[in-house]
């Protein structure tokens, strides 16, 4: 992309990383993405390539074997990868969230044990908050951990784990009664457990079952699963941070950076849709000229490009805010909300530009059309983003009268 979605002020290292990733996306992802997606096939070769590039350890500190890069670098890489195929960004996203949670909240022993192998891509992370009866309302979680000697016994059912099958480490949020008397606020009685398991489906550890892949309309290739805990025994040293009752805050911290990540995906998918639309519009002729020469189509392209630019700018702003050490929930919420809505609109316009061919599986836009809606839901729906944005605005602009 020559002109749109440029980012000012990048270091030489950031530019080098991005140019390597862009090259990888153009050569190794775009040519095979649609075919693999139609077969719902896990992109093993692409994942191996990402491992070689060091992408699994991009934000993990150098002392633990990672590249120690910023959230901005990571988000710009995700944008590039999603431009190639959104599912590939999904494969690294949950890994990245779990690594971030470990870095921020883990005990020293947990960091030393997990992070170097996560940086190498040998351990792969998934994170699990949602349950069959809840997604937005995390405080309603019913899965439970009960202490038994030096272990906890976990029971309950989780839903919608991205990378549930392929991961070997799942950060699972459950209610924990220990030390939290009856009547404790729900968000103060939750704990994140670091659950190691074998990859695959069926009983992947005694007491832990991953039933199989959920069949989805898009976002294929990456596996999304349920997780069933039935007397799952986890040692006390696998409580994230070593202290119970902090799980809700740890997860929300992870989701906050995850939101920048979803915004970046929206930017990448929208960029690809624009590329496809602007290219098709110059090739297809009606009424004696390329459809790009009809003003109605030019207006569409103008709107699409403006949305690509605006979403990119907000995503970069949210990432930079977090990198500066400041709270970024307002900016991340805004970026996620705007980028996912704009992405859906840009994809739809590119689809319309393709006329009937957009409906054919031969054209890449058909895949993007099925992928964009996931961004409206993942890491919190539009309504949830607006609730966060609204609350924060009222804090910032408190009436002083
Ligand atoms: C492909 C995919 C992958 C996913 N991966 C993961 C994962 O890796 N880990 C994980 O934990 N979860 C994951 N999720 C779950 C995702 O986070 C939830 O689906 C999402 O948070 C929405 O929750 P819900 O589906 O239960 O919808 P609900 O919470 O039931 O919401 C239904 C509707 O009601 C609206 N709504 C809810 N509450 C309010 C309110 N207070 N005010 C106004 N409107 C409201 C919502 O915006 C939505 O429109 C994934 C989901 C999908 C589809």
């Amino acid at each position: 992309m020559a002109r749109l979605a440029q980012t000012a002020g990048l270091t030489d290292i950031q530019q080098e990383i991005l140019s390597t990733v862009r090259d990888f996306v153009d050569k190794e992802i775009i040519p095979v993405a649609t075919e693999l997606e139609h077969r719902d096939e896990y992109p093993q070769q692409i994942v191996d390539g990402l491992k070689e590039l060091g992408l699994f350890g991009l934000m993990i500190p150098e002392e633990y074997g990672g590249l120690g890069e910023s959230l901005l670098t990571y988000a710009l890489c995700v944008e590039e990868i999603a431009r190639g195929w959104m599912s590939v960004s999904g494969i690294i996203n949950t890994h990245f969230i779990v690594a971030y949670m470990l870095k921020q909240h883990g005990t020293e022993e947990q960091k030393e044990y997990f992070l170097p192998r996560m940086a190498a891509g040998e351990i792969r992370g998934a994170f699990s908050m949602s349950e069959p009866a809840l997604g937005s309302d995390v405080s309603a979680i019913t899965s439970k951990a009960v202490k038994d000697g030096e272990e906890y016994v976990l029971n309950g059912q989780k839903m919608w784990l991205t990378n549930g099958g392929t991961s070997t480490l799942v950060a699972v949020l459950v209610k924990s009664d220990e030390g939290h008397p009856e009547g404790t606020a729900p968000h103060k009685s939750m704990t994140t457990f670091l659950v190691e398991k074998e990859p695959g489906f069926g009983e992947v550890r005694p007491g832990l079952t991953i039933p199989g892949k959920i069949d989805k309309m898009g976002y294929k290739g990456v596996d999304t699963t349920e997780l069933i805990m039935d007397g799952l025994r986890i040692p006390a040293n696998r409580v994230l941070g070593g202290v119970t009752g902090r799980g809700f805050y740890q997860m929300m911290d992870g989701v906050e950076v995850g939101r920048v990540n979803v915004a970046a995906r929206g930017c990448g998918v929208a960029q690809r849709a624009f590329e496809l639309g602007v290219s098709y519009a110059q090739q297809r002729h009606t009424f004696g000229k390329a459809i790009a020469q009809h003003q109605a189509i030019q207006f569409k392209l103008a709107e699409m490009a403006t949305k690509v630019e605006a979403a990119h700018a907000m995503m970069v702003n949210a990432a930079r805010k977090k990198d500066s050490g400041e709270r970024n929930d307002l900016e991340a919420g805004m970026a996620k909300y705007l980028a996912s809505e704009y992405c859906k609109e840009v994809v739809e316009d590119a689809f319309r530009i393709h006329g009937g061919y957009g409906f054919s599986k031969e054209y890449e836009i058909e895949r993007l059309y099925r992928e964009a809606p996931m961004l409206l839901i993942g890491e919190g729906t539009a309504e949830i983003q607006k609730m966060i944005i609204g609350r924060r605005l009222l804090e910032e602009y408190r009436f002083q009268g």
Side-chain angles (χ1 to χ4, degrees), residues 94 127-130 134-137 159-162 216 219 224 374 377-384 387:
T94 61
F127 89 109
S128 174
M129 289 197 298
S130 305
L134 66 102
S136 310
D137 186 7
M159 185 72 190
W160 296 117
L161 278 85
T162 302
K216 299 165 294 188
Y219 200 39
T224 308
M374 191 271 162
I377 307 293
E379 313 287 358
T381 63
E383 288 73 25
I384 298 303
M387 280 163 59

Side-chain angles (χ1 to χ4, degrees), residues 149-214:
E150 283 310 296
E151 292 181 324
Y152 287 84
V153 182
L154 276 60
N155 284 288
Q157 187 175 351
K158 296 301 219 177
M159 185 72 190
W160 296 117
L161 278 85
T162 302
N163 299 308
T166 38
S167 57
T168 51
L169 170 66
V170 188
V172 184
L173 186 65
V174 298
K175 283 246 164 85
S176 48
D177 58 359
E178 182 222 8
H180 313 301
E182 202 63 21
T184 303
H187 54 280
K188 289 188 178 155
S189 57
M190 288 190 196
T191 298
T192 307
F193 283 89
L194 300 166
V195 177
E196 290 175 86
K197 68 172 186 66
E198 290 297 316
F201 301 99
E203 194 170 21
V204 288
R205 172 181 177 148
L208 180 66
T209 302
I210 305 286
K213 288 202 299 188
I214 298 170

